Amino acid sequence: VQLQASGGGLAQAGGSLRLSCAASGRTLSRNAIGWFRQAPGKEREFVSVISWSGDTTYYADSVKGRFTISRDNAKSTVNLQMDSLKPEDTAVYFCTAAPRESGSRFWAARLDSYDYWGQGTQVTVSS
């Protein structure tokens, strides 16, 4: 499966952006989908994950209450609505698919829990 993240761009602090992750090659209906981000000079970090059913979601503490993840399995897309953006949200955002439907929060935050990675989309938040 190929994943393509889109929707990144430039936003002011306090603004919003909506990222989308689209799958091609096959549907995403049996995969948990995660979002990670990587800022310059920093390690890639967990942002959010959604189970294949959409019933279970987890968020990093740094984005909880500001970001919302959702999915439409019929369209093989996963969205990340980012509100109240902060300059520290600036990073390249990656979507990724796991070879399972869901898992624990501990499992979701691990890079090696995921098989497929998209190319990423740049998000820049100015102060």
Side-chain angles (χ1 to χ4, degrees):
V1 60
Q2 290 79 45
L3 301 174
Q4 180 64 52
S6 61
L10 178 63
Q12 291 188 331
S16 298
L17 285 172
R18 184 177 177 86
L19 304 185
S20 292
C21 178
S24 61
R26 67 174 177 85
T27 63
L28 292 176
S29 61
R30 308 304 293 187
N31 304 90
I33 300 297
W35 285 95
F36 284 70
R37 66 186 181 186
Q38 188 166 18
K42 294 188 176 181
E43 294 185 349
R44 194 169 296 189
E45 65 174 6
F46 170 75
V47 175
S48 183
V49 68
I50 187 166
S51 63
W52 80 269
S53 68
D55 291 343
T56 302
T57 59
Y58 297 118
Y59 298 92
D61 289 343
S62 59
V63 306
K64 195 175 298 182
R66 300 188 297 120
F67 290 10
T68 304
I69 192 169
S70 61
R71 69 188 296 161
D72 184 340
N73 287 338
K75 297 180 179 179
S76 290
T77 58
V78 173
N79 296 313
L80 185 69
Q81 178 66 39
M82 305 188 298
D83 298 319
S84 302
L85 284 164
K86 303 176 180 180
E88 50 263 44
D89 294 320
T90 295
V92 177
Y93 284 70
F94 300 88
C95 61
T96 180
R100 58 189 291 181
E101 299 174 0
S102 64
S104 68
R105 178 184 174 86
F106 173 79
W107 163 85
R110 294 176 58 89
L111 287 168
D112 60 5
S113 296
Y114 302 88
D115 280 351
Y116 303 100
W117 292 83
Q119 289 189 329
T121 184
Q122 176 70 47
V123 170
T124 303
V125 183
S126 62
S127 58

